[in-house]
């Protein structure tokens, strides 16, 4: 089915994204994958190309382009080029940190962070998950206490993307002094800059997406100025819930883009490879498998595209975003598995995009809320 999502300007932007991939990313990507980190220069280059912080208003140095379809184009191009780790790193900065600053940040916070986030001079991360609390954020134990007109932050976070390479982190911390499972008003959100007491753990050795860094963070009595509080005290969980639809939509978009890309690569592969005197593509099993996959890819695109348009209209609700993430991430997990099988032994070799996509896709049903949590979000609405 023909997709009707994009207009001419999006396709022009696609040229830019494609060029960025071939000029700035492709030459170094394999090395960054081996080193488990991408260079800061890449962020600067992305900033110079106008690829970061598209939604940031012009007064704060951005392009003032909240149309989410531009972000979609970028993700699709990362998927096509198999530069999925760059997509992940940008996602945390642009789809997770940025919306919170735009929606709840004071003018002071916006002025200090947004222009540098757009230019790539400041790289940011999201530090919500802790060793003892992931799905259930009310279990967060990192605490911030008032001190001398500001705050003192202590605690530990884990699985933090851009944690090593980043300059500042959007941290959820307990601010009501409670213990055990906190209440709705127990947590606040802070932009925490790397300063004394803010320590980064070593690289966590992920199965895929290795060119992006993921680490533990340790906060030992870190001084956080009052101006770095995002919004109001006690509203951190409410803010996180308010912006989750964008984060989940972004994961659905990436899932859909990877599924499309790997499907197309697999069609090509099965037409080139032969066994028993026939192309792999000519076996009925292959035709049936590809028919299933193509149907799933198109149905996924149709739902995700509707979610993108709803988001642009400010109408994407939490349940629809959860459905998009649940469906698309579960599809890409299954599709990359079946496509890998159609590649035979080459599918297991990391040089082949399908092997890398298989490993990358495994994250998508876990982070940003697991599939089980998505089912809870959807199911609770049904049975309310
Ligand atoms: C590579 C990677 C990058 C990440 N990046 C970030 C990041 O940048 N910032 C950040 O803050 N976090 C990040 N995360 C953390 C991620 O969001 C969490 O791992 C995820 O939310 C799940 O939390 P958990 O690992 O604590 O699992 P748990 O919450 O311990 O869940 C374990 C299992 O129990 C299931 N479960 C939990 N609760 C329920 C329930 N109520 N009903 C049914 N089943 C349930 C889960 O679905 C899962 O299957 C990242 C994780 C990874 C692996």
């Amino acid at each position: 089915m023909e997709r009707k999502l994009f207009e001419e300007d999006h396709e022009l932007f696609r040229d830019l994204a494609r060029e960025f991939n071939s000029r700035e990313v492709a030459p170094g990507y394999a090395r960054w994958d081996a080193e488990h980190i991408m260079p800061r220069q890449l962020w600067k280059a992305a900033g110079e190309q106008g690829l970061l912080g598209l939604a940031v208003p012009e007064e704060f140095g951005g392009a003032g382009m909240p149309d989410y379809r531009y972000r979609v184009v970028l993700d699709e191009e990362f998927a096509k080029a198999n530069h999925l780790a760059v997509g992940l790193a940008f996602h945390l900065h642009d789809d997770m940190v940025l919306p919170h600053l735009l929606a709840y940040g004071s003018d002071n916070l916006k002025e200090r962070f947004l222009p540098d986030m757009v230019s790539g001079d400041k790289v940011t991360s999201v530090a919500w998950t802790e060793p003892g609390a992931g799905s259930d954020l009310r279990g967060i134990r990192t605490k911030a206490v008032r001190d001398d007109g500001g705050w003192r932050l202590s605690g530990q976070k884990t699985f933090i993307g851009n944690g090593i390479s980043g300059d500042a982190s959007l941290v959820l911390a307990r601010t009501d002094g409670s213990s055990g499972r906190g209440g709705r008003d127990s947590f606040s959100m802070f932009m925490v800059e790397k300063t004394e007491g803010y320590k980064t753990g070593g690289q966590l050795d992920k199965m895929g997406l290795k060119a992006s860094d993921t680490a533990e963070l340790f906060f030992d009595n870190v001084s956080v100025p009052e101006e770095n509080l995002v919004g109001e005290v006690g509203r951190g969980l409410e803010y996180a819930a308010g912006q989750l639809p964008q984060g989940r939509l972004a994961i659905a978009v990436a899932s859909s883009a990877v599924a499309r890309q790997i499907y197309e690569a697999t069609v090509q592969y099965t037409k080139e490879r032969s066994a028993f005197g026939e192309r792999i593509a000519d076996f009925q099993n292959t035709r049936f498998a590809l028919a299933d996959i193509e149907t799933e890819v198109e149905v996924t695109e149709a739902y995700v595209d509707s979610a993108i348009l709803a988001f642009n209209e400010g109408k994407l609700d939490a349940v629809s975003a959860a459905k998009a993430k649940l469906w698309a991430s579960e599809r890409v997990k299954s599709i990359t598995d079946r496509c890998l099988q159609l590649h035979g032994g080459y599918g297991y070799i990391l040089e082949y995009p399908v092997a890398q996509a298989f490993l990358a896709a495994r994250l998508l049903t876990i982070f940003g809320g697991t599939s089980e949590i998505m089912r809870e979000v959807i199911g609770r609405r049904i049975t309310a």
Side-chain angles (χ1 to χ4, degrees):
M1 258 196 343
E2 190 197 348
R3 279 175 88 196
K4 297 208 170 74
L5 186 66
F6 300 115
E7 293 164 21
E8 204 181 322
D9 280 352
H10 303 113
E11 296 308 331
L12 292 174
F13 184 74
R14 190 180 295 284
D15 293 340
L16 214 90
R18 210 172 273 156
E19 224 179 276
F20 174 77
N21 267 297
S22 59
R23 196 183 54 241
E24 304 290 347
V25 187
Y29 193 77
R31 192 173 72 251
W32 310 337
D33 195 75
E35 292 169 356
H36 295 197
I37 199 151
M38 60 184 75
R40 285 295 296 258
Q41 182 47 36
L42 185 73
W43 289 89
K44 287 285 291 173
E48 276 159 25
Q49 287 286 302
L51 303 180
L52 297 174
L54 296 164
V56 173
E58 285 175 25
E59 58 175 310
F60 296 114
M65 294 200 302
D67 178 351
Y68 198 72
R69 290 175 292 180
Y70 291 103
R71 286 281 303 132
V72 176
V73 166
L74 199 52
D75 263 344
E76 288 185 354
E77 290 308 309
F78 286 136
K80 277 185 202 155
N82 205 26
H83 296 152
L84 302 176
V86 182
L88 170 66
F90 285 14
H91 156 74
L92 297 167
H93 183 84
D94 252 26
D95 289 316
M96 296 298 295
V97 178
L98 198 63
H100 291 89
L101 295 185
L102 287 174
Y104 317 115
S106 62
D107 278 350
N108 174 297
L109 257 189
K110 287 179 183 163
E111 276 158 19
R112 284 193 295 127
F113 280 92
L114 297 183
D116 287 344
M117 286 176 71
V118 170
S119 65
D121 286 302
K122 269 201 176 110
V123 173
T124 58
S125 59
V126 184
W128 296 357
T129 307
E130 300 190 352
S135 302
D136 182 11
L137 291 176
R138 289 195 192 188
I140 282 176
R141 289 166 62 182
T142 294
K143 61 176 186 198
V145 292
R146 285 208 182 272
D147 175 66
D148 207 13
W151 298 83
R152 288 276 168 183
L153 183 78
S154 301
Q156 183 181 347
K157 299 287 178 180
T158 193
F159 302 135
I160 308 308
N162 303 339
I164 294 175
S165 57
D167 303 289
S169 210
L170 185 69
V171 174
L172 256 183
R174 198 177 279 243
T175 42
D176 69 350
S178 61
S179 56
R181 200 163 177 270
R184 267 183 66 85
D185 307 332
S186 297
F187 305 90
S188 305
M189 211 174 255
F190 299 89
M191 274 308 278
V192 182
E193 293 165 272
K194 277 192 177 156
T195 178
E196 203 184 327
Y198 182 136
K199 296 191 194 89
T200 307
Q203 277 283 5
L204 296 175
D205 194 7
K206 304 192 291 290
M207 19 185 307
L209 295 161
K210 287 177 183 270
S212 68
D213 61 284
T214 307
E216 288 181 297
L217 302 182
F218 302 91
F219 305 122
D220 181 11
N221 215 20
V222 177
S223 169
V224 182
E226 183 67 26
E227 316 73 277
N228 285 31
L229 173 71
V230 178
E232 295 173 21
V233 175
R235 298 185 68 184
L237 277 189
E238 177 194 328
Y239 296 159
Q243 300 307 312
L244 274 173
Q246 177 168 350
R248 291 178 177 162
L249 173 65
I251 296 172
V253 165
S255 301
S256 178
V258 172
R260 155 75 58 193
Q261 173 58 22
I262 292 307
Y263 159 69
E264 288 181 359
T266 304
V267 171
Q268 179 82 11
Y269 181 83
T270 59
K271 287 181 176 173
E272 287 166 3
R273 176 104 180 146
S274 304
F276 299 95
E278 284 184 73
R279 302 181 311 168
I280 302 295
D282 292 328
F283 299 123
Q284 188 191 49
N285 175 68
T286 306
R287 278 200 305 277
F288 280 14
L290 292 175
D292 282 345
I293 294 168
E294 184 175 276
T295 306
E296 290 169 37
V297 165
E298 288 191 12
V299 171
T300 303
E301 281 173 350
Y303 191 88
V304 173
D305 287 358
S306 299
I308 292 162
L309 295 176
F311 179 78
N312 270 356
E313 290 172 20
K315 290 183 183 158
L316 182 67
D317 63 288
V319 170
S320 303
K323 286 177 183 170
K325 183 190 185 277
L326 171 65
W327 177 261
S329 63
E330 288 292 342
R331 282 310 87 210
V332 72
K333 183 170 88 175
S334 159
I335 287 170
T336 50
D337 186 24
R338 283 174 282 159
C339 286
L340 190 152
Q341 186 71 18
L342 289 171
H343 278 71
Y346 290 104
Y348 201 69
I349 304 301
L350 280 173
E351 189 187 323
Y352 281 74
V354 68
Q356 289 178 34
F358 174 80
L359 294 173
R362 199 62 194 82
L363 175 64
L364 302 173
T365 60
I366 296 171
F367 94 133
T370 63
S371 287
E372 292 73 28
I373 296 300
M374 296 306 100
R375 292 185 182 106
E376 275 295 325
V377 171
I378 302 161
R380 256 187 260 135
R381 169 77 66 91
I382 297 168
T383 57

